[in-house]
Amino acid sequence: MNTASRIALVTGATRGIGLETVRQLAEAGVHTLLAGRNRERAVEAALKLQAQGLPVEAIALDVTDAASIAAAEADVERRHGRLDILVNNAGIAIDEADKGVSGQSLETWRTTFDTNVFGLVAVTQAFLPLLHKSASARIVNVSSALGSIALHADPASFIYDMKIPAYNVSKSAVNAWTVQLAYELRDSAIKVNTIHPGYVKTDMNHVDGEQRGELEVPDGARTSVRLALIDDDGPSGGFYYLDEVLPW
Ligand SMILES: NC(=O)c1ccc[n+]([C@@H]2O[C@H](COP(=O)([O-])OP(=O)(O)OC[C@H]3O[C@@H](n4cnc5c(N)ncnc54)[C@H](OP(=O)(O)O)[C@@H]3O)[C@@H](O)[C@H]2O)c1
């Protein structure tokens, strides 16, 4: 993939995997928009990367706020006129461990879906016209292995006991949406895939003052970056962890 003059936007990029995805895309030469729901923190994070000579710009974008999404889309259209790469990375995990599968409140379900599913769909809908203006566009949906229904149903799988229902089902919905969208885009220049970043040491896995996880953040961003930079003969409508195809 020739990354020169490509324009990317990464949501939820003020910290964790999103921030690292911005760094790696920018290091690959992609002009990358670091999107955060808090404008000041997005600017602060972008300035640090700019100081390292990386082509990064801040943009305010709260994926649960229709006005914020519309303003961000208008801003990208004004600044660049198109978008080549959209990484839907923003996500939350707010299930309460002591409430089990059936005991999570509907508020937990709704809040989780507002960010992880409806926010992702809304951002995608808003930016699709700009992605269609690209000669070769990519959408990466940051899901999770925890969204795999096949793995959850398999007592032998490594996630069998990880029943965090609102989060897991929200990621299953992201996977299902990815397949639906890939169908609509099958004859276009836009490829859309869904990914598992790995079990990564970020704030999302902060338990009892400790960041749990198997991967350091730089490795956790690799799958998003790989799928953001696939060539025109690359896949669409797939579910990946690095090069590995994951079961739905
Ligand atoms: N870490 C893992 O092991 C792991 C595993 C599988 C999948 N994932 C997925 O990877 C993605 C990144 O997770 P992470 O581990 O980097 O988590 P994180 O460190 O908690 O970062 C989450 C990011 O999402 C942003 N965000 C939350 N709500 C938002 C909203 N309404 N609008 C815009 N941004 C919002 C946060 O912004 P603020 O800074 O403003 O709060 C933050 O930048 C998520 O989709 C997560 O589900 C992570």
Side-chain angles (χ1 to χ4, degrees), residues 12 14-15 17 37 41 62-63 89 167 171 200 202 205:
T14 42
R15 56 196 168 99
I17 296 166
R37 60 179 156 179
R41 275 191 279 126
D62 181 335
V63 306
N89 169 83
Y167 179 79
K171 295 300 190 179
V200 189
T202 65
N205 293 321

Side-chain angles (χ1 to χ4, degrees), residues 20 50 76 96 107 123 127 131 146 169 175 177 182 190 206 241:
E20 181 60 25
Q50 284 169 9
V76 175
E96 293 175 62
E107 193 187 344
V123 168
F127 282 95
L131 290 159
L146 293 176
V169 177
N175 290 352
W177 155 253
I190 308 175
H206 209 103
Y241 168 59

Side-chain angles (χ1 to χ4, degrees), residues 212-228:
R212 300 199 179 152
E214 290 163 355
L215 299 183
E216 299 299 331
V217 174
D219 288 328
R222 284 193 204 295
T223 311
S224 291
V225 172
R226 189 179 92 72
L227 272 303

Side-chain angles (χ1 to χ4, degrees), residues 4-27:
S5 77
R6 288 190 58 81
I7 297 153
L9 185 148
V10 182
T11 66
T14 42
R15 56 196 168 99
I17 296 166
L19 176 60
E20 181 60 25
T21 302
V22 169
R23 181 200 310 281
Q24 291 184 19
L25 286 173
E27 280 172 349

Side-chain angles (χ1 to χ4, degrees), residues 11-227:
T11 66
T14 42
R15 56 196 168 99
I17 296 166
L19 176 60
E20 181 60 25
T21 302
V22 169
R23 181 200 310 281
Q24 291 184 19
L25 286 173
E27 280 172 349
V30 177
H31 186 95
T32 306
L33 305 176
L34 184 161
R37 60 179 156 179
N38 178 295
R39 184 184 294 277
E40 285 71 35
R41 275 191 279 126
V43 168
E44 194 183 327
L47 283 175
K48 283 186 191 153
L49 296 175
Q50 284 169 9
Q52 295 163 27
L54 295 172
V56 173
E57 273 181 276
I59 188 164
L61 174 48
D62 181 335
V63 306
T64 62
D65 179 340
S68 169
I69 295 170
E73 188 277 335
D75 201 9
V76 175
E77 170 145 47
R78 186 177 47 76
R79 290 196 224 174
H80 302 289
R82 67 168 209 285
L83 187 65
D84 301 305
I85 296 166
L86 172 64
V87 181
N88 283 309
N89 169 83
I92 57 169
I94 58 167
D95 289 77
E96 293 175 62
D98 57 343
K99 295 200 170 156
V101 169
S102 61
Q104 305 297 327
S105 70
L106 274 183
E107 193 187 344
T108 293
W109 281 90
R110 288 196 177 104
T111 304
T112 302
F113 269 62
D114 274 345
T115 300
N116 294 5
V117 184
F118 307 137
L120 182 149
V121 171
V123 168
T124 305
Q125 288 176 332
F127 282 95
L128 266 177
L130 288 180
L131 290 159
H132 275 295
K133 290 187 180 170
S134 168
S136 173
R138 309 288 177 255
I139 302 171
V140 180
N141 292 330
V142 181
S143 175
S144 171
L146 293 176
S148 168
I149 298 171
L151 290 178
H152 273 298
D154 176 2
S157 103
F158 70 105
I159 65 161
Y160 187 65
D161 292 324
M162 300 182 197
K163 299 293 192 269
I164 309 162
Y167 179 79
N168 293 352
V169 177
S170 76
K171 295 300 190 179
S172 305
V174 167
N175 290 352
W177 155 253
T178 302
V179 174
Q180 302 289 310
L181 185 62
Y183 171 82
E184 181 178 293
L185 298 175
R186 67 196 181 286
D187 296 323
S188 79
I190 308 175
K191 293 182 187 301
V192 55
N193 290 287
T194 180
I195 67 109
H196 169 57
Y199 181 32
V200 189
K201 293 178 189 172
T202 65
D203 294 343
M204 189 170 276
N205 293 321
H206 209 103
V207 185
D208 300 331
E210 182 198 342
Q211 264 179 357
R212 300 199 179 152
E214 290 163 355
L215 299 183
E216 299 299 331
V217 174
D219 288 328
R222 284 193 204 295
T223 311
S224 291
V225 172
R226 189 179 92 72
L227 272 303

